[in-house]
Amino acid sequence: MKIVIKCLFVLMIITSCNAQKPISEEKIEDTNPKLVVGIVVDQMRYDYLTRFENKYSDGGFKRMINQGFNCKNNHFNYIPTYTGPGHASVYTGTTPKNHGIIGNNWYDKEIKSMVYCAGDSNVSSVGTQDDAGQMSPHRMKTTSFADENRLFTQMHGKTIGISLKDRGAILPAGHTANAAYWFHGREEGVWITSTFYRNELPKWVSEFNTSNTAESYLKVWDTYYDIETYTESGTDENTFEGGFKGKDKATFPYDLEQLAANNRGFDILKATPYGNSLTTDFAIAAIKGEQLGQDDITDVLTLSYSSTDYVGHNFGVSSKEIEDTYIRLDKDIERFLKFLDSQVGEGNYTVFLTADHGAVEVPSFLQSMKIPSGYLNNKETRTRFTDYLNTKFKSSDFIENVSNDQIFLNRKYIDSLGLNINDVQETMVNELINYAHVEKVFSAHTMTTSNFTTGIESLLQNGYNQKRSGDIILVADPAYISYGKTGSTHGSGLNYDTHVPLLFFGKGINKGETYDKTVIPDIAPTISALLGISFPNAATGRPLGFVIQK
């Protein structure tokens, strides 16, 4: 009997010890990826996944689709669809209404001047004498999920941001990043940062900058495959493309070494697929140099591919150049995923891929197809509106600034005349709605006193920041843009600008797909839920539970 009791006692002790075992550590090790990589492809429409599908390898986009989760009906839920707001929204889980990045540039009503979303005169450049490094995320009002991961891990989990564009590196990485790096072209061709992050470049960045990697891409850009097989895009020679200075026609091939001098030196790489290849090279060097994903504390790499945007703006949505750029980007993604397999370990990392906005087909091309589209005559509109103000109010001094499809009024002047600002706004709305190719006009008063849940109105409201946005917001007709006659642009709340890819892949991710609507602010809460960390502090999106393995 004593032996039985003794055995039971020992069993109880063992059970008790097992119960008190710190299972949280086991859970973190078992469920959390060692590295999260967020990929944003600048100006990637959703249909680039499907249109060029037959040209993609099995190891790039298709690997993420076939082995991961594909959200096929993913949209931006705000206006404007620009690069700065897009990158901020992906990582903060909210819209410009809350995070405050209402454009790439916007009119600051306090200082009465335009400001840049990442500009910061209080910091200095690191890696160049040029002022291109005077950048920080100080204008972004909220945290990103990368910030929350840093806080959750007591700053032990690293965050590194990388992009050719400063804003594409800085805003995703957040306020607490170990560093963000962007490419300074022109005559230098180097990766730089700012004193917001550190006072000197780490050794691995300096070594990369002196490795002649950027120089190696100043070569001939020709199509990856036989150009005759590029049947998913238009003719190579047409009137809808811009091209490069120093070359008469926007046709393949392009001798980048020869053209560089007339196209801002190393900056020419940005407008070719080689800019994406250079970005991939640098990302691989960063993972090695910073030892990302080498322990059980989750690190974050924010990676933005910018060349797709430059190529789209220059050559347009249906160009041979954009097709070749995506074929080559697919190769870079395949190369990057293979590197993660070997460096971090297959099954030890998580990747998501999305875009910061889409793009409209070149309106002049659409016009040739008899599709309603065109170009806004802003000069004519401004002249007509000025004449109206002089007739109606005997003054045109009501306007302080016009930018980003918004009008900023001189409120002090209007108040000095004894006029009610809300009445003035509505009077202007009623005038502007009569102008050609103006589809909708709204006042700040409407944006702040109404609650829209559907349509363009809802998207405008999600993009409207009461302290930073203007007094009047204009919406143009579909496919009518303020842009040149060649190349594509973006910014609207229409499907060509809002419908972008959303792929999840890797550790903790289900395999599957959905046509249920998802929105950009859902991404950050989903990654936060995967990691078991706090959502970004102003997140309005919801975690996509069907993406995460239970």
Side-chain angles (χ1 to χ4, degrees), residues 97-364:
K97 177 179 180 178
N98 298 307
H99 61 59
I101 304 299
I102 63 169
N104 294 333
N105 303 273
W106 64 85
Y107 181 71
D108 188 311
K109 293 185 280 190
E110 292 187 15
I111 65 174
K112 309 299 183 186
S113 179
M114 295 295 292
V115 296
Y116 177 57
C117 63
D120 189 348
S121 60
N122 293 317
V123 300
S124 301
S125 301
V126 176
T128 179
Q129 296 298 312
D130 194 272
D131 62 5
Q134 289 190 292
M135 305 288 169
S136 85
H138 76 107
R139 287 194 170 92
M140 190 168 75
K141 298 161 71 70
T142 64
T143 62
S144 68
F145 81 76
D147 285 322
E148 297 298 338
N149 186 65
R150 289 276 284 162
L151 295 171
F152 182 82
T153 62
Q154 300 301 305
M155 311 305 277
H156 294 299
K158 285 187 174 182
T159 297
I160 302 293
I162 293 171
S163 175
L164 292 178
K165 294 182 180 180
D166 47 50
R167 57 188 179 271
I170 291 167
L171 300 174
H175 305 276
T176 60
N178 298 84
Y181 298 102
W182 53 97
F183 186 67
H184 177 54
R186 300 188 185 181
E187 72 283 354
E188 295 186 62
V190 293
W191 292 85
I192 65 173
T193 188
S194 82
T195 53
F196 179 85
Y197 305 101
R198 53 189 306 128
N199 293 321
E200 59 183 9
L201 294 178
K203 181 180 179 182
W204 69 265
V205 177
S206 297
E207 289 178 348
F208 188 93
N209 284 339
T210 57
S211 67
N212 294 324
T213 303
E215 286 89 337
S216 72
Y217 288 114
L218 289 175
K219 57 184 181 180
V220 174
W221 173 24
D222 206 347
T223 54
Y224 189 87
Y225 299 117
D226 184 343
I227 195 170
E228 297 301 322
T229 68
Y230 282 28
T231 55
E232 298 82 6
S233 48
T235 57
D236 190 28
E237 184 176 349
N238 58 71
T239 60
F240 313 122
E241 302 174 6
F244 296 112
K245 293 179 181 178
K247 191 174 190 303
D248 292 338
K249 296 180 179 180
T251 56
F252 283 105
Y254 299 93
D255 188 334
L256 303 183
E257 184 177 19
Q258 184 182 64
L259 293 170
N262 290 325
N263 293 273
R264 294 168 58 91
F266 283 103
D267 278 342
I268 195 172
L269 294 178
K270 297 178 181 180
T272 78
Y274 298 140
N276 290 332
S277 299
L278 177 64
T279 303
T280 305
D281 296 336
F282 190 74
I284 289 172
I287 291 172
K288 291 178 180 178
E290 297 291 341
Q291 289 293 289
L292 300 181
Q294 297 305 300
D295 57 33
D296 293 330
I297 302 175
T298 302
D299 298 320
V300 175
L301 176 71
T302 73
L303 177 58
S304 178
Y305 285 109
S306 305
S307 290
T308 43
D309 184 67
Y310 290 106
V311 175
H313 277 294
N314 192 355
F315 297 97
V317 166
S318 291
S319 63
K320 300 288 189 196
E321 287 80 1
I322 204 72
E323 179 169 1
D324 192 68
T325 296
Y326 276 91
I327 289 170
R328 290 176 180 273
L329 175 60
D330 180 66
K331 301 293 184 185
D332 280 316
I333 290 174
E334 179 179 26
R335 174 165 66 101
F336 184 64
L337 293 178
K338 285 181 177 178
F339 168 76
L340 291 178
D341 289 341
S342 62
Q343 179 75 9
V344 182
E346 190 171 0
N348 287 331
Y349 62 88
T350 305
V351 181
F352 71 81
L353 182 148
T354 189
D356 57 349
H357 51 74
V360 66
E361 287 271 10
V362 179
S364 55

Side-chain angles (χ1 to χ4, degrees), residues 56-73:
Y56 293 148
S57 68
D58 291 331
F61 291 122
K62 284 183 180 179
R63 180 182 176 189
M64 294 189 70
I65 291 170
N66 294 333
Q67 299 179 23
F69 203 97
N70 184 3
C71 298
K72 294 185 172 184
N73 189 21

Side-chain angles (χ1 to χ4, degrees), residues 237-545:
E237 184 176 349
N238 58 71
T239 60
F240 313 122
E241 302 174 6
F244 296 112
K245 293 179 181 178
K247 191 174 190 303
D248 292 338
K249 296 180 179 180
T251 56
F252 283 105
Y254 299 93
D255 188 334
L256 303 183
E257 184 177 19
Q258 184 182 64
L259 293 170
N262 290 325
N263 293 273
R264 294 168 58 91
F266 283 103
D267 278 342
I268 195 172
L269 294 178
K270 297 178 181 180
T272 78
Y274 298 140
N276 290 332
S277 299
L278 177 64
T279 303
T280 305
D281 296 336
F282 190 74
I284 289 172
I287 291 172
K288 291 178 180 178
E290 297 291 341
Q291 289 293 289
L292 300 181
Q294 297 305 300
D295 57 33
D296 293 330
I297 302 175
T298 302
D299 298 320
V300 175
L301 176 71
T302 73
L303 177 58
S304 178
Y305 285 109
S306 305
S307 290
T308 43
D309 184 67
Y310 290 106
V311 175
H313 277 294
N314 192 355
F315 297 97
V317 166
S318 291
S319 63
K320 300 288 189 196
E321 287 80 1
I322 204 72
E323 179 169 1
D324 192 68
T325 296
Y326 276 91
I327 289 170
R328 290 176 180 273
L329 175 60
D330 180 66
K331 301 293 184 185
D332 280 316
I333 290 174
E334 179 179 26
R335 174 165 66 101
F336 184 64
L337 293 178
K338 285 181 177 178
F339 168 76
L340 291 178
D341 289 341
S342 62
Q343 179 75 9
V344 182
E346 190 171 0
N348 287 331
Y349 62 88
T350 305
V351 181
F352 71 81
L353 182 148
T354 189
D356 57 349
H357 51 74
V360 66
E361 287 271 10
V362 179
S364 55
F365 166 73
L366 292 177
Q367 288 174 334
S368 72
M369 297 292 107
K370 301 180 181 179
I371 294 174
S373 56
Y375 299 89
L376 300 174
N377 190 330
N378 293 325
K379 183 178 180 180
E380 182 180 285
T381 298
R382 188 181 295 252
T383 299
R384 177 178 171 182
F385 190 57
T386 299
D387 290 343
Y388 164 77
L389 292 176
N390 284 325
T391 301
K392 177 73 175 180
F393 298 105
K394 310 304 180 187
S395 173
S396 59
D397 295 334
F398 282 41
I399 310 300
E400 278 191 358
N401 177 267
V402 179
S403 55
N404 296 328
D405 300 320
Q406 298 182 34
I407 299 173
F408 295 78
L409 300 180
N410 187 334
R411 290 184 168 226
K412 286 187 177 180
Y413 179 70
I414 291 171
D415 186 61
S416 72
L417 297 178
L419 298 174
N420 180 281
I421 186 65
N422 296 335
D423 293 340
V424 172
Q425 288 176 358
E426 291 305 321
T427 299
M428 292 181 175
V429 166
N430 292 330
E431 167 66 14
L432 290 164
I433 194 61
N434 298 310
Y435 290 18
H437 307 305
V438 174
E439 184 180 35
K440 296 177 185 289
V441 190
F442 296 95
S443 67
H445 181 68
T446 298
M447 285 291 109
T448 55
T449 58
S450 303
N451 182 30
F452 300 110
T453 57
T454 60
I456 291 293
E457 293 82 357
S458 175
L459 274 62
L460 287 169
Q461 198 162 54
N462 285 338
Y464 188 85
N465 183 279
Q466 191 172 3
K467 291 198 72 170
R468 294 181 175 179
S469 297
D471 291 277
I472 307 290
I473 305 174
L474 296 96
V475 178
D477 281 342
Y480 274 80
I481 61 175
S482 298
Y483 204 65
K485 295 295 178 69
T486 59
S488 300
T489 193
H490 48 86
S492 80
L494 294 157
N495 285 322
Y496 51 73
D497 282 336
T498 67
H499 191 195
V500 298
L502 177 55
L503 308 176
F504 293 92
F505 168 82
K507 190 176 180 73
I509 301 300
N510 282 323
K511 294 180 183 179
E513 61 182 37
T514 184
Y515 285 103
D516 290 345
K517 186 172 183 177
T518 59
V519 293
I520 286 295
D522 293 338
I523 298 172
T526 300
I527 297 298
S528 297
L530 175 70
L531 299 179
I533 64 177
S534 294
F535 292 4
N537 59 15
T540 52
R542 61 190 177 92
L544 303 175

